[in-house]
Amino acid sequence: MRTRRWISERSAWFGGARRVAAGMLAALLAVAVAGCDLIEDSDPSASEKGGAGPRVERKASNPPPGLPAAFTAGQRLDWSACPPPSAAQGDGDAPGAGWECATMKAPLDYRRPGRDTIDVALIRQRATGEERRRIGSLLLNFGGPGRSGVVGLPRYAPDYAPLRERYDLVSFDPRGVGGTAPVSCGKESFEGSDACEKHSGRLLPYVGTSHTARDLDLMRYLLGDEKLHYFGVSYGTVLGGVYAHLFPENVGRLVLEAPVDPTLDRLQGEISQVRAVQRAFDRFAEHCADAYDDCPTGSGPAQARRRVIALLDRLEKTPAPTGGGEKLDADLAALAIANYLDLGEDGRRPLVKALTEVMEEGTGRKLMEEAYDHPPGARGVPARGTASGGNGTSAYVAITCADSNVRPGFDRTAEMADRIAAASPVFGRAWSGGVYLCYDWPFEGERATLDVSADGAAPVLVVANTGDPTTPYEGAERMAGELGGNVGVLLTVRDEGHGSYPHNRCAAEAVHTYLFDGTPPGDDTVC
């Protein structure tokens, strides 16, 4: 399987208890920064960590507005060997040689930056090319919300290896996630909104995407870049779009891949996505019927719907054994099928095998392997564990509910659940529970739909598959339009699956040209 598996971590928009270290701003040491613009790295092994020639740390001249000097002139990122992931990040082994980690101080509340602070966890791998040709840092967000970039970047870095020639690859844990002010909604697992308020009430108002976007601008400055260079996938396009809206003058080269539709609210997005995943399933059923004499879904989409609905009904009554501690129920099976569809053509043969196993042998091992690839809770099952470990489920719920102010009453919620269930005969039932996600959340959300208007920003590259089952293509058209007529540039990729970089050669070449030369593809370019 190609290295696109990570992209199956579905966008939560369609698709552990730790106290945050906080203190008064006066506790920060306002150390004066040397007046020169370039600072030589004192680490004698710098060239061994990536990058040819002596390392030069750059200094930007445009700090984020409104912040006390302790966060800007008084702060320097202290890069050192990365420790093993924390419990909130999911545990595991340290990433090893060539990886550097640092902690950035940021205000808990940017409206009151003189009060409490949080620690933001960062990781980087230095550029491999000549120092004189290094463009700067490329910040990456791999989706979610609720995914640790500190854990994710070492895993996904091979996909971005060509970009490392001229960029330091940098990622981070967004607010509420892993090593950055981790939200806890229970002692061991997600226990509901009351538990979130009990364990993390102080943090919940400040973990939304707009706060993380402001963290991005502080990162940009401390990394020494005048402009932000960024690659966001799925939910990462939400973060990138919000950043472009807040800081259009600081937009450098932004890639928004598999973008979320900024014009739909959370519940409208559920309907849009469940229709898209149903269309992807129907296309899979056509392929299966053409390619396999013993296709488990039968002769085409109509028979496939009947067979899989019957399977889900059976699993609802009697979950299938998986060879592990948990059985495969109807919701998990639907999620697993959707995750295989996210893999595009790479997922079709494995999905045939998984459906054959559960239909003919009555065991759900292969489906269970894919059931947790995206943040649980995305489809209304927030109490389940998460494949990424750590506090991913709690963070997903907290960020989603901090962003969205959609709080329909009980009658309206039930009506929306019925609409979502009716939108897809195969997946609607599993998706419909998502309407209850923020039903009794203790704090108001920020807004109903995204504002990504970025007049005056440099061109932003929006990359989208026509067959994306998680973030439907029409949402990409709207993202490009909402960014602005002279800002959003849409690259259409005729492909299946959730995302196209790096496996689609045409799309990868366009992304490389844009990130290396600053030249986006022409209008209406199709790969």
Side-chain angles (χ1 to χ4, degrees):
M1 186 176 294
R2 298 181 192 138
T3 53
R4 66 178 292 173
R5 179 182 175 87
W6 64 270
I7 236 167
S8 70
E9 292 158 1
R10 304 167 62 84
S11 166
W13 284 78
F14 299 89
R18 275 219 185 177
R19 249 179 120 177
V20 63
M24 299 303 290
L25 186 62
L28 293 171
L29 295 176
V31 181
V33 176
C36 59
D37 289 339
L38 299 178
I39 304 170
E40 287 194 12
D41 196 321
S42 60
D43 183 353
S45 64
S47 62
E48 298 174 6
K49 296 177 180 177
R55 175 71 179 193
V56 175
E57 296 292 353
R58 302 169 184 176
K59 182 174 179 291
S61 62
N62 53 342
L67 289 185
F71 290 109
T72 54
Q75 181 172 198
R76 180 174 175 175
L77 297 176
D78 183 15
W79 295 98
S80 59
C82 295
S86 67
Q89 290 171 318
D91 294 319
D93 298 326
W99 292 99
E100 301 173 301
C101 288
T103 299
M104 181 185 80
K105 287 287 184 184
L108 174 66
D109 182 357
Y110 277 89
R111 294 167 298 184
R112 301 173 181 84
R115 297 186 180 180
D116 291 349
T117 66
I118 63 169
D119 291 340
V120 180
L122 291 86
I123 188 170
R124 80 174 175 185
Q125 192 176 46
R126 294 183 177 186
T128 57
E130 295 180 4
E131 175 65 24
R132 65 181 178 84
R133 299 188 69 242
R134 180 167 64 93
I135 296 170
S137 295
L138 181 68
L139 279 86
L140 298 109
N141 181 283
F142 306 108
R147 313 300 288 185
S148 167
V150 172
V151 173
L153 183 56
R155 177 183 177 188
Y156 308 141
D159 286 349
Y160 299 93
L163 303 178
R164 192 182 164 208
E165 180 182 351
R166 299 190 64 190
Y167 287 97
D168 295 340
L169 301 185
V170 180
S171 195
F172 56 96
D173 286 354
R175 288 176 174 236
V177 181
T180 301
V183 168
S184 170
C185 296
K187 292 182 179 180
E188 296 183 0
S189 61
F190 184 86
E191 298 175 3
S193 58
D194 289 345
C196 292
E197 184 175 21
K198 176 182 176 181
H199 294 289
S200 298
R202 170 180 164 274
L203 297 174
L204 297 182
Y206 308 109
V207 298
T209 300
S210 65
H211 297 279
T212 297
R214 290 178 169 85
D215 292 340
L216 271 182
D217 201 52
L218 182 56
M219 287 179 217
R220 169 202 60 78
Y221 174 76
L222 294 176
L223 289 166
D225 291 335
E226 300 286 322
K227 304 285 187 179
L228 178 74
H229 309 304
Y230 175 84
F231 199 131
V233 181
S234 201
Y235 164 77
T237 67
V238 175
L239 179 57
V242 170
Y243 180 90
H245 172 69
L246 293 175
F247 304 102
E249 69 282 0
N250 292 341
V251 168
R253 301 170 189 179
L254 268 63
V255 177
L256 306 183
E257 183 179 16
V260 170
D261 189 333
T263 68
L264 302 180
D265 68 29
R266 185 172 62 84
L267 301 185
Q268 292 168 336
E270 295 283 354
I271 294 177
S272 176
Q273 190 199 47
V274 77
R275 287 173 175 162
V277 73
Q278 181 66 57
R279 292 194 298 267
F281 175 79
D282 290 345
R283 292 192 297 272
F284 159 77
E286 290 179 351
H287 164 80
C288 184
D290 290 340
Y292 299 92
D293 292 336
D294 55 349
C295 171
T297 53
S299 60
Q303 189 171 40
R305 291 183 180 195
R306 292 193 296 270
R307 287 189 177 186
V308 173
I309 290 169
L311 169 67
L312 297 178
D313 288 343
R314 190 179 83 218
L315 294 174
E316 180 72 18
K317 299 173 182 175
T318 308
T322 62
E326 188 173 10
K327 292 187 175 183
L328 183 80
D329 62 19
D331 282 353
L332 283 173
L335 296 171
I337 294 169
N339 282 335
Y340 277 114
L341 297 173
D342 269 354
L343 299 176
E345 293 182 1
D346 288 347
R348 285 177 168 176
R349 182 173 179 81
L351 179 54
V352 168
K353 292 182 178 180
L355 288 173
T356 299
E357 179 193 55
V358 72
M359 288 178 172
E360 296 184 1
E361 301 174 21
T363 58
R365 181 180 60 83
K366 288 184 171 64
L367 281 178
M368 183 63 85
E369 289 174 355
E370 289 295 319
Y372 288 124
D373 269 1
H374 58 80
R379 303 296 143 240
V381 285
R384 299 189 189 278
T386 173
S388 62
N391 77 324
T393 300
S394 296
Y396 160 72
V397 177
I399 296 168
T400 299
C401 297
D403 283 351
S404 174
N405 67 5
V406 176
R407 305 285 193 270
F410 183 81
D411 291 341
R412 174 66 174 156
T413 299
E415 176 192 347
M416 286 300 300
D418 290 342
R419 288 182 59 193
I420 293 169
S424 165
V426 174
F427 302 96
R429 182 169 59 186
W431 262 240
S432 64
V435 301
Y436 298 99
L437 189 63
C438 304
Y439 180 77
D440 57 351
W441 195 248
F443 296 96
E444 290 297 316
E446 189 167 320
R447 36 86 188 139
T449 60
L450 291 173
D451 189 348
V452 298
S453 58
D455 291 343
V460 174
L461 180 58
V462 179
V463 185
N465 282 356
T466 54
D468 195 316
T470 295
T471 48
Y473 175 76
E474 57 268 24
E477 294 177 308
R478 295 183 187 123
M479 173 66 85
E482 292 294 309
L483 284 165
N486 296 318
V487 179
V489 178
L490 177 61
L491 174 64
T492 299
V493 184
R494 297 196 183 281
D495 204 349
E496 293 289 329
H498 188 39
S500 55
Y501 185 91
H503 73 280
N504 184 288
R505 180 177 297 179
C506 171
E509 289 176 354
V511 168
H512 293 165
T513 299
Y514 170 71
L515 287 177
F516 289 151
D517 302 335
T519 305
D523 292 337
D524 302 321
T525 298
V526 177
C527 283

